[in-house]
Amino acid sequence: MISVCIATYNGEKFIRQQLQSIISQLSSDDEVIVSDDGSTDRTLQIVEELRSSIIKIIHNKGDHGYTPNFENALRHAKGDYIFLSDQDDVWADNKVEVTLEHLKKYSMVIADADIIDAEGNVIAESYFRQRRAHSGLINNLIRFSYLGCMLAFRREVLEKALPFPPDHRQCTHDNWLALVAMTFYSCTVLPDKLLHYRRHGANASKGGLEKTTTMAFKIRYRIYLMKWLAKIINR
C-alpha cells in the first residue's frame, strides 16, 4: 500500500493538477493524505471536487507551518511505502513505478527533478545541478541537498523518524527524514527526473536555491539535528 502525504495551505492555483498527476499512478488500495493548515481559499473545495475515494482530508490542529503540517499527514499514513508531495508540483508519469522498483532494495529513494515556472515551462533541467547536490550523510550535514517532495521511503523510516524533534524552526521535515534514513537505513539517489518542481514566487520555502539563514543559525540547526539523532540511537 502506498501513502502519499501532502501538506496544503492556500494552494488552490496548482493543487488540482498536482493531485491528478498523483492519482493517475495509484490504485484503489492506496491513499492520499491531504493535511490542511487552515486554508482560506478554495484548496479544500478543489480537492473535494476530484471525488476520489483514495483522498483523505485531515486538518492540522497543532503547530502551524509546513513541517508540523507534514508531520500531521505522516502520522495518519497507513502505507508500507510513503511518498511526500508538495501542493504545487507535478509528478512525472513514471514516478511511482520507478520509485517502487528501487524501494524493493533501499529504504529511501531520492530522485532528481526539473524546475518549472508557474506556467509549467522548464526553467532548469536539474534541481541537483542547480543545488550542487552531494549524496551521503556527512555531505548532507554540511549542506542539505534534497527537498521533501523528492523523498519516498519505507515505513521503517517513518517509524524511526516520528515524532519529529519539537523545534520545527531548527528541524524541517525533509532534512530530518533524509538524515534518519541515511543514518539508520539504506538510501539511494537517482538521476531520474521524476518530478516537475515548481517555482512560482509564492512557495512556502526557497527550496535551498537562495541563501536565507546566517552561519550561526546553520551551526545551531546542525547541532540540534545531531542531538536528536543521538537520542534515537540511545532510545
Side-chain angles (χ1 to χ4, degrees):
M1 179 183 178
I2 296 169
S3 294
V4 178
C5 293
I6 304 179
T8 59
Y9 177 72
N10 288 351
E12 64 179 5
K13 188 171 183 179
F14 303 112
I15 189 65
R16 186 188 303 275
Q17 183 182 15
Q18 172 65 310
L19 284 173
Q20 288 173 335
S21 75
I22 293 169
I23 293 170
S24 64
Q25 301 182 53
L26 302 179
S27 75
S28 59
D29 295 324
D30 299 323
E31 63 179 6
V32 178
I33 306 295
V34 176
S35 178
D36 190 73
D37 207 20
S39 292
T40 56
D41 65 358
R42 295 184 63 253
T43 297
L44 294 183
Q45 181 180 337
I46 292 169
V47 174
E48 292 170 348
E49 287 173 355
L50 291 172
R51 300 186 183 280
S52 173
S53 61
I54 67 172
I55 294 178
K56 302 174 183 178
I57 298 173
I58 59 175
H59 297 274
N60 180 32
K61 298 180 180 179
D63 292 343
H64 294 294
Y66 58 83
T67 290
N69 199 16
F70 267 112
E71 184 175 7
N72 185 51
L74 288 164
R75 286 182 179 278
H76 287 80
K78 299 178 180 178
D80 302 305
Y81 303 105
I82 294 95
F83 288 67
L84 298 186
S85 172
D86 290 344
Q87 65 183 359
D88 42 14
D89 302 327
V90 182
W91 281 17
D93 293 341
N94 61 341
K95 178 175 172 64
V96 172
E97 178 184 5
V98 171
T99 303
L100 286 180
E101 189 61 33
H102 288 278
L103 282 172
K104 293 177 182 178
K105 183 176 181 180
Y106 298 96
S107 295
M108 175 173 281
V109 175
I110 305 171
D112 198 3
D114 60 24
I115 304 176
I116 61 176
D117 63 16
E119 286 70 43
N121 303 306
V122 176
I123 56 177
E125 295 293 336
S126 168
Y127 175 87
F128 287 173
R129 195 176 306 129
Q130 291 290 112
R131 178 62 175 158
R132 298 176 186 170
H134 294 283
S135 60
L137 175 62
I138 299 302
N139 284 329
N140 276 276
L141 277 171
I142 295 171
R143 188 169 189 267
F144 296 109
S145 295
Y146 310 118
L147 300 168
C149 55
M150 298 174 168
L151 309 182
F153 43 92
R154 297 180 191 166
R155 184 160 199 88
E156 61 195 15
V157 175
L158 178 61
E159 292 175 350
K160 182 74 75 173
L162 289 177
F164 286 3
D167 188 343
H168 299 126
R169 175 169 162 75
Q170 297 194 77
C171 177
T172 57
H173 67 288
D174 43 11
N175 294 339
W176 177 244
L177 287 162
L179 290 177
V180 168
M182 291 176 187
T183 302
F184 299 100
Y185 302 104
S186 57
C187 181
T188 188
V189 179
L190 306 180
D192 308 59
K193 314 302 190 299
L194 300 183
L195 175 73
H196 307 296
Y197 172 59
R198 196 187 306 267
R199 300 300 300 171
H200 51 81
N203 300 77
S205 76
K206 299 298 182 182
L209 298 175
E210 299 178 23
K211 294 181 179 179
T212 58
T213 56
T214 65
M215 181 57 67
F217 175 81
K218 290 176 181 179
I219 292 171
R220 290 197 306 272
Y221 186 99
R222 283 152 178 80
I223 292 173
Y224 185 77
L225 290 176
M226 288 188 287
K227 170 186 171 184
W228 280 89
L229 284 172
K231 286 188 176 184
I232 293 180
I233 294 172
N234 294 324
R235 75 187 181 190

